Amino acid sequence: MVEKHNKAVKHHEFCMVLYREQINQGRYFVHEQPASASSWSLYCTRKVGRMQGVVTVRADMCQFGLRTTHRCQTGHAMKPTRFMTNSPLMAGEIGRVCN
């Protein structure tokens, strides 16, 4: 289990390197993870989040049509999610939460 976790962290760190390259080259990126994911507290994630022009927004996936079936009942699934991006337009479009 520890080895799997370490591999996941390494992969995440690699993604953050790519996002920094995207920013430095004037390109956009979008990163999505569940709002409760421990990866949001990693140093590399916080470092990218502090870069100029990068914003983090919360969205509930029910706003985008996510549904679930539980005990023969179907309904919207909230699934709180966070997005980090350097695209103001994208952030404005995806930052939707349920009432």
Side-chain angles (χ1 to χ4, degrees):
M1 187 71 152
V2 171
E3 183 180 339
K4 212 174 194 182
H5 172 70
N6 290 341
K7 284 182 179 181
V9 169
K10 287 285 185 198
H11 174 75
H12 186 84
E13 290 170 341
F14 175 69
C15 290
M16 295 302 123
V17 168
L18 294 178
Y19 297 156
R20 288 194 307 271
E21 284 185 27
Q22 291 289 96
I23 293 166
N24 292 334
Q25 294 175 10
R27 298 181 181 149
Y28 295 113
F29 77 93
V30 177
H31 176 76
E32 174 266 332
Q33 290 279 286
S36 61
S38 60
S39 58
W40 289 110
S41 65
L42 293 174
Y43 175 75
C44 60
T45 308
R46 291 181 289 126
K47 185 176 178 180
V48 171
R50 288 191 303 266
M51 292 181 77
Q52 184 174 353
V54 175
V55 296
T56 302
V57 296
R58 180 176 157 212
D60 294 329
M61 292 295 98
C62 56
Q63 293 293 305
F64 300 96
L66 182 65
R67 300 180 66 78
T68 187
T69 300
H70 185 286
R71 295 189 182 136
C72 301
Q73 293 180 333
T74 301
H76 291 284
M78 189 175 190
K79 191 182 178 194
T81 304
R82 286 174 66 185
F83 292 87
M84 181 169 61
T85 183
N86 61 335
S87 168
L89 181 61
M90 183 63 76
E93 291 293 319
I94 58 180
R96 301 186 210 167
V97 294
C98 296
N99 308 4

